[in-house]
Amino acid sequence: MDRTTKNPGPPEPLDFLEFAAARGRHLVRTAFLLTGGDAHLAEDLAQETLGRLYGKWRRIARLENPAGYAQTVLVNTFLSHRRRRSSREHVTDTFAEVAVTDTDPSLRVTLLRALGELPARDRAVLVLRFWEDRSVEETAEVLQLNAGAVRSRSSRALARLRDLLGEELDELAHS
């Protein structure tokens, strides 16, 4: 047995630029949903998230799931932004022009509009649970809630979406 063989040690951390290139679009898409369709704010949130990750990249790269950690930072950045938003900003009901590849763009616009009318935490719960397809437990961990709170928020937020969509929901479901 050769005792001079060295232990290779911990794996080299992922290169931050590679990570940002691979996950950046996904972060922007998630932020777009969280912001209710504000493409500019979504890009700002994704960039702020990547900036926060860059400062601690050596430690984050060694995590089991750096992408999951990035999603958590994004959601927390979004929630922080909502809390500190300046009074000089105003909400608008227009969406940035974005190329749509879905087969039903009217459904997408209607859902984004309705999502934009929900409170920030409810929107975050729905985006994480149903867009990101996360479990109740994962969503609870990201939002620092208990699983019961995620379930009840999901239920109330879905009911609110149904109320907001009203007859539009029936029309879109049957078209």
Side-chain angles (χ1 to χ4, degrees), residues 146-172:
N146 64 44
V150 169
R151 285 186 197 93
S152 62
R153 271 193 186 273
S154 293
S155 177
R156 282 194 307 263
L158 286 172
R160 176 80 173 122
L161 265 183
R162 286 184 194 101
D163 289 344
L164 288 170
L165 293 172
E167 293 176 16
E168 287 181 89
L169 183 61
D170 290 333
E171 292 171 16
L172 291 169

Side-chain angles (χ1 to χ4, degrees), residues 51-93:
R52 289 180 180 187
L53 295 175
Y54 181 75
K56 302 174 185 174
W57 184 246
R58 284 186 148 322
R59 183 179 54 82
I60 293 168
R62 289 186 173 85
L63 293 175
E64 184 176 319
N65 185 5
Y69 184 82
Q71 290 297 112
T72 301
V73 171
L74 175 67
V75 170
N76 290 335
T77 302
F78 164 71
L79 294 173
S80 294
H81 170 77
R82 296 289 300 179
R83 282 191 295 270
R84 70 176 189 261
R85 189 174 73 187
S86 157
S87 62
R88 60 186 162 81
E89 294 181 20
H90 64 281
V91 177
T92 180
D93 62 349

Side-chain angles (χ1 to χ4, degrees), residues 28 31 39-50 77:
V28 171
H40 299 291
L41 179 57
E43 290 173 357
D44 290 346
L45 291 172
Q47 185 167 352
E48 186 174 340
T49 297
L50 289 172
T77 302

Side-chain angles (χ1 to χ4, degrees), residues 97-115:
E97 292 184 31
V98 177
V100 176
T101 57
D102 291 348
T103 55
D104 190 1
S106 61
L107 174 62
R108 180 182 182 93
V109 169
T110 302
L111 288 174
L112 283 173
R113 180 188 49 77
L115 266 176

